[in-house]
Amino acid sequence: ITWGKYGDYKLDVTDGVLRELAGSRVPAAGRAPGPNDWRRMRCVRPLSPAETKLLAPDGGGTAWAFHYANGRFEVQFRGDGFNHFTCH
C-alpha cells in the first residue's frame, strides 16, 4: 500500500475470516522496520452503496463532473485512507 508521505507498507492477510491484515512499513535498504512502523487493519463493515459509488469497487476513487448555471467543475473522490476529495 502506498500512503504517500507516510511511506509504503506491505501487509499480509493474518485472518481471512475476520478480514484482518498486518504488516510494516517497507524499510530503506539495509534497515529493519522500527517499532512505530507496524500496522494492523480489520474490516469493520462493508462499504455502503454510496461509498462504493464514490470510491469505486476497487477503492481507487472516482471523478464526477458537476454542472451549474455558469459552467462545470470536476471533483475527484479518493480512497486514500483519508477519503479526500479535490475540486478542479
Side-chain angles (χ1 to χ4, degrees):
I1 301 171
T2 299
W3 274 323
K5 68 180 182 179
Y6 301 105
D8 297 340
Y9 285 76
K10 181 181 182 313
L11 303 174
D12 297 309
V13 175
T14 56
D15 189 321
V17 174
L18 293 176
R19 296 169 51 188
E20 185 175 87
L21 304 168
S24 68
R25 184 178 193 160
V26 177
R31 180 180 154 307
N36 294 326
D37 291 337
W38 294 89
R39 301 290 181 267
R40 181 176 298 266
M41 298 193 281
R42 181 183 295 164
C43 179
V44 294
R45 64 173 175 78
L47 293 176
S48 72
E51 291 167 328
T52 301
K53 284 188 184 223
L54 290 177
L55 301 177
D58 66 358
T62 59
W64 297 67
F66 289 87
H67 298 265
Y68 64 104
N70 295 323
R72 66 183 289 279
F73 62 96
E74 183 179 281
V75 175
Q76 295 175 348
F77 293 94
R78 300 179 181 165
D80 61 2
F82 295 103
N83 300 330
H84 285 127
F85 67 93
T86 58
C87 299
H88 297 279

